Amino acid sequence: MIKAKKIFQQLPLLRNIIINKRTGSLFFRFKPEGIVQRISMTQKKITGIDIDTYLPQLFSLPIYEYGWSSKITLTPDSYSDAITATVCGTIDQVQWQPKTQLTLKKSFSMLPAIQVLNRRPEIIWPDMKAYATLYNFAKRAENATPANFLALANDNDEETRFLKVLVMAYCLGFITSKSSQTSNIALRILERIRKV
Amino acid sequence: MKKEIAKILITGPFNSGKSTLIEFVSDEQHTSNDVETTDELAQFKALTTVSLDFGVLHVDDTLDVHLFGTPGQARFNFMWQTLSKGALGTVFLIDSSNQRAIDEAKQMYQFYRETSTMPIIIAATKQDLSSAQSLASIATTLGVAEESILSCNPCLKDDSKKVIIALLELIIKEESVSEAFF
Ligand SMILES: Nc1nc2c(ncn2[C@@H]2O[C@H](COP(=O)(O)OP(=O)(O)O)[C@@H](O)[C@H]2O)c(=O)[nH]1
Ligand SMILES: [Mg+2]
């Protein structure tokens, strides 16, 4: 287990796991005295004891320690659907404390300008309106930073919805930083090659 | 509108499966014997008797991928080096049934690592032949972890796709919006 240097360090880790379609086990705890939780990522689903409690917490609590152990599988094609559906469903349902929301907002506000890769992602995301707003914002805004996107929210509810779509798009790899042309191109080729 | 071009290199000794792999993941395939091979390959044509592969994959209206097959022998390292400028990554195919090629692969892999920071996926072909060396033994010869070598039969479309997908995922991973942001 590694001590988290940043309070929401589980999000970049999840992003890395999901983007690379890795399988294995994620270990974590939220407090030094807490019990170590484990969730397993197979190619088909995310499983674990009390997953209904711990998966939402992964998206709503600052982390204390975490670890990852990979399991190698050589059939990466069949990975994504159920996993992304679970992640989407969890983020959609999550209830943030005001303090958590503020912390997440601050973290995302540190990201540089982003681009959104798909106009309509092939996922089940209930709030497509927020997604479309994000997509159009990233396409048109002169300085498409998450901070500027969140500033578009008219009230607290909308800010929550905007923050949720950001967390989802970040974790599933639908956004990349605008300066990373390479990963943008590689993602486009990846989508194409899956259909070959 | 001008199309963007992304380059991917497929290297490996004669008979390691380069042409077969490129065929499966391209919309068009050419060899250096074709008249319209790219200028990039044309410069090498006179220098080698082996045929150089070249494939194009159309991604969308604004992006094409050019796949270059380069001969995987140390004396052709200069070719790989020239073509690697601006390339996204390399697939290094090793014929598991060819002891000489495996021995040479070690030198080549070292050369690639020393002269470039490009993402490289190593794939061992012909694992289905009885004369094939195991992944573990090839890994030992190359001095890499066994998990970092994929087994691939380029004659199977899904295996060819799998290797390119693994390379692209490695590229994205190395470029990923990083942990530094949180
Ligand atoms: N059985 C088997 N045959 C293979 C495999 N990979 C390549 N071949 C065969 O090896 C021969 C050489 O392949 P080719 O793509 O022309 O190799 P290149 O010289 O690197 O371009 C062809 O007849 C392929 O069908 C493999 O994994 N298993
Ligand atoms: Mg050939």
Short mmCIF file of all heavy atoms in Angstrom, two decimals, chain A residues 101 127 129-130 133 149-165:
data_model
loop_
_atom_site.label_atom_id
_atom_site.label_comp_id
_atom_site.label_asym_id
_atom_site.label_seq_id
_atom_site.Cartn_x
_atom_site.Cartn_y
_atom_site.Cartn_z
N GLN A 101 -17.62 18.10 -2.01
CA GLN A 101 -17.85 18.74 -3.30
C GLN A 101 -16.86 19.88 -3.52
O GLN A 101 -16.30 20.03 -4.60
CB GLN A 101 -19.29 19.25 -3.37
CG GLN A 101 -19.58 19.90 -4.71
CD GLN A 101 -21.05 19.82 -5.08
OE1 GLN A 101 -21.76 18.91 -4.65
NE2 GLN A 101 -21.50 20.77 -5.88
N ASP A 127 -27.27 11.80 -17.44
CA ASP A 127 -27.35 13.25 -17.62
C ASP A 127 -26.65 13.67 -18.92
O ASP A 127 -25.62 14.34 -18.90
CB ASP A 127 -26.71 13.92 -16.40
CG ASP A 127 -26.98 15.41 -16.36
OD1 ASP A 127 -27.64 15.94 -17.28
OD2 ASP A 127 -26.51 16.05 -15.39
N LYS A 129 -27.47 15.82 -20.94
CA LYS A 129 -27.49 17.27 -21.14
C LYS A 129 -26.20 17.90 -20.59
O LYS A 129 -25.58 18.74 -21.25
CB LYS A 129 -28.72 17.86 -20.43
CG LYS A 129 -29.08 19.20 -20.98
CD LYS A 129 -30.41 19.70 -20.47
CE LYS A 129 -30.45 21.20 -20.64
NZ LYS A 129 -31.15 21.86 -19.54
N ALA A 130 -25.80 17.44 -19.41
CA ALA A 130 -24.56 17.95 -18.83
C ALA A 130 -23.37 17.54 -19.70
O ALA A 130 -22.42 18.31 -19.90
CB ALA A 130 -24.39 17.42 -17.40
N THR A 133 -23.23 19.75 -22.68
CA THR A 133 -22.73 21.07 -22.28
C THR A 133 -21.20 21.05 -22.17
O THR A 133 -20.52 21.95 -22.66
CB THR A 133 -23.35 21.48 -20.92
OG1 THR A 133 -24.75 21.31 -20.99
CG2 THR A 133 -23.00 22.93 -20.59
N PHE A 149 -15.46 25.64 -16.85
CA PHE A 149 -16.69 24.86 -17.09
C PHE A 149 -17.58 24.90 -15.84
O PHE A 149 -18.78 25.18 -15.93
CB PHE A 149 -16.34 23.41 -17.44
CG PHE A 149 -17.53 22.49 -17.52
CD1 PHE A 149 -18.52 22.68 -18.48
CD2 PHE A 149 -17.66 21.43 -16.62
CE1 PHE A 149 -19.62 21.83 -18.56
CE2 PHE A 149 -18.77 20.58 -16.68
CZ PHE A 149 -19.75 20.78 -17.65
N LEU A 150 -17.00 24.67 -14.69
CA LEU A 150 -17.78 24.67 -13.45
C LEU A 150 -18.38 26.05 -13.17
O LEU A 150 -19.46 26.17 -12.59
CB LEU A 150 -16.91 24.20 -12.27
CG LEU A 150 -16.50 22.72 -12.33
CD1 LEU A 150 -15.45 22.41 -11.28
CD2 LEU A 150 -17.72 21.81 -12.15
N ALA A 151 -17.68 27.08 -13.64
CA ALA A 151 -18.17 28.44 -13.43
C ALA A 151 -19.44 28.73 -14.23
O ALA A 151 -20.14 29.71 -13.96
CB ALA A 151 -17.08 29.45 -13.80
N LEU A 152 -19.76 27.86 -15.20
CA LEU A 152 -20.99 28.05 -15.99
C LEU A 152 -22.24 27.68 -15.19
O LEU A 152 -23.35 28.04 -15.57
CB LEU A 152 -20.96 27.16 -17.25
CG LEU A 152 -19.90 27.41 -18.31
CD1 LEU A 152 -20.06 26.38 -19.43
CD2 LEU A 152 -20.02 28.82 -18.85
N ALA A 153 -22.07 26.94 -14.10
CA ALA A 153 -23.23 26.46 -13.34
C ALA A 153 -23.99 27.62 -12.73
O ALA A 153 -23.40 28.55 -12.17
CB ALA A 153 -22.76 25.50 -12.26
N ASN A 154 -25.33 27.54 -12.86
CA ASN A 154 -26.17 28.62 -12.34
C ASN A 154 -26.47 28.48 -10.85
O ASN A 154 -26.78 29.46 -10.19
CB ASN A 154 -27.50 28.67 -13.10
CG ASN A 154 -27.27 29.12 -14.53
OD1 ASN A 154 -26.58 30.11 -14.77
ND2 ASN A 154 -27.83 28.39 -15.48
N ASP A 155 -26.48 27.26 -10.38
CA ASP A 155 -26.77 27.07 -8.95
C ASP A 155 -26.01 25.84 -8.45
O ASP A 155 -25.30 25.18 -9.20
CB ASP A 155 -28.28 26.90 -8.71
CG ASP A 155 -28.87 25.80 -9.61
OD1 ASP A 155 -28.16 24.80 -9.88
OD2 ASP A 155 -30.03 25.96 -10.05
N ASN A 156 -26.21 25.53 -7.21
CA ASN A 156 -25.48 24.45 -6.59
C ASN A 156 -25.80 23.08 -7.22
O ASN A 156 -24.92 22.25 -7.42
CB ASN A 156 -25.75 24.43 -5.09
CG ASN A 156 -24.70 23.62 -4.36
OD1 ASN A 156 -23.50 23.86 -4.54
ND2 ASN A 156 -25.13 22.63 -3.59
N ASP A 157 -27.09 22.88 -7.53
CA ASP A 157 -27.49 21.62 -8.16
C ASP A 157 -26.78 21.41 -9.49
O ASP A 157 -26.31 20.33 -9.81
CB ASP A 157 -29.00 21.59 -8.42
CG ASP A 157 -29.75 21.14 -7.18
OD1 ASP A 157 -29.07 20.83 -6.17
OD2 ASP A 157 -30.99 21.12 -7.22
N GLU A 158 -26.74 22.48 -10.26
CA GLU A 158 -26.10 22.37 -11.56
C GLU A 158 -24.59 22.13 -11.39
O GLU A 158 -23.99 21.37 -12.15
CB GLU A 158 -26.37 23.61 -12.40
CG GLU A 158 -26.04 23.37 -13.86
CD GLU A 158 -26.63 24.42 -14.79
OE1 GLU A 158 -26.38 25.62 -14.56
OE2 GLU A 158 -27.34 24.04 -15.73
N GLU A 159 -24.03 22.78 -10.41
CA GLU A 159 -22.60 22.56 -10.18
C GLU A 159 -22.33 21.09 -9.85
O GLU A 159 -21.36 20.50 -10.33
CB GLU A 159 -22.08 23.44 -9.04
CG GLU A 159 -20.57 23.32 -8.89
CD GLU A 159 -20.06 24.05 -7.67
OE1 GLU A 159 -19.85 25.27 -7.77
OE2 GLU A 159 -19.86 23.39 -6.62
N THR A 160 -23.22 20.49 -9.06
CA THR A 160 -23.07 19.07 -8.74
C THR A 160 -23.13 18.23 -10.01
O THR A 160 -22.31 17.33 -10.22
CB THR A 160 -24.18 18.60 -7.77
OG1 THR A 160 -24.20 19.49 -6.66
CG2 THR A 160 -23.94 17.19 -7.29
N ARG A 161 -24.09 18.54 -10.87
CA ARG A 161 -24.22 17.77 -12.12
C ARG A 161 -22.99 17.95 -13.01
O ARG A 161 -22.49 17.01 -13.62
CB ARG A 161 -25.47 18.21 -12.88
CG ARG A 161 -26.77 17.74 -12.22
CD ARG A 161 -27.98 18.35 -12.90
NE ARG A 161 -27.88 18.26 -14.34
CZ ARG A 161 -28.30 19.21 -15.20
NH1 ARG A 161 -28.86 20.31 -14.75
NH2 ARG A 161 -28.15 19.05 -16.49
N PHE A 162 -22.48 19.17 -13.07
CA PHE A 162 -21.28 19.44 -13.89
C PHE A 162 -20.06 18.73 -13.32
O PHE A 162 -19.22 18.21 -14.05
CB PHE A 162 -21.03 20.96 -13.97
CG PHE A 162 -21.95 21.67 -14.93
CD1 PHE A 162 -22.98 20.98 -15.58
CD2 PHE A 162 -21.79 23.02 -15.21
CE1 PHE A 162 -23.83 21.64 -16.47
CE2 PHE A 162 -22.62 23.68 -16.10
CZ PHE A 162 -23.65 22.99 -16.73
N LEU A 163 -19.99 18.73 -12.00
CA LEU A 163 -18.85 18.07 -11.36
C LEU A 163 -18.92 16.55 -11.61
O LEU A 163 -17.91 15.90 -11.88
CB LEU A 163 -18.87 18.38 -9.86
CG LEU A 163 -17.58 18.19 -9.08
CD1 LEU A 163 -16.40 18.88 -9.73
CD2 LEU A 163 -17.77 18.74 -7.65
N LYS A 164 -20.14 16.01 -11.56
CA LYS A 164 -20.31 14.57 -11.80
C LYS A 164 -19.90 14.19 -13.23
O LYS A 164 -19.23 13.18 -13.44
CB LYS A 164 -21.76 14.14 -11.55
CG LYS A 164 -22.05 13.99 -10.07
CD LYS A 164 -23.40 13.35 -9.82
CE LYS A 164 -23.56 13.11 -8.32
NZ LYS A 164 -24.85 12.49 -8.00
N VAL A 165 -20.30 15.00 -14.18
CA VAL A 165 -19.94 14.65 -15.55
C VAL A 165 -18.42 14.76 -15.74
O VAL A 165 -17.81 13.97 -16.46
CB VAL A 165 -20.74 15.49 -16.59
CG1 VAL A 165 -20.22 16.89 -16.75
CG2 VAL A 165 -20.76 14.77 -17.92
#
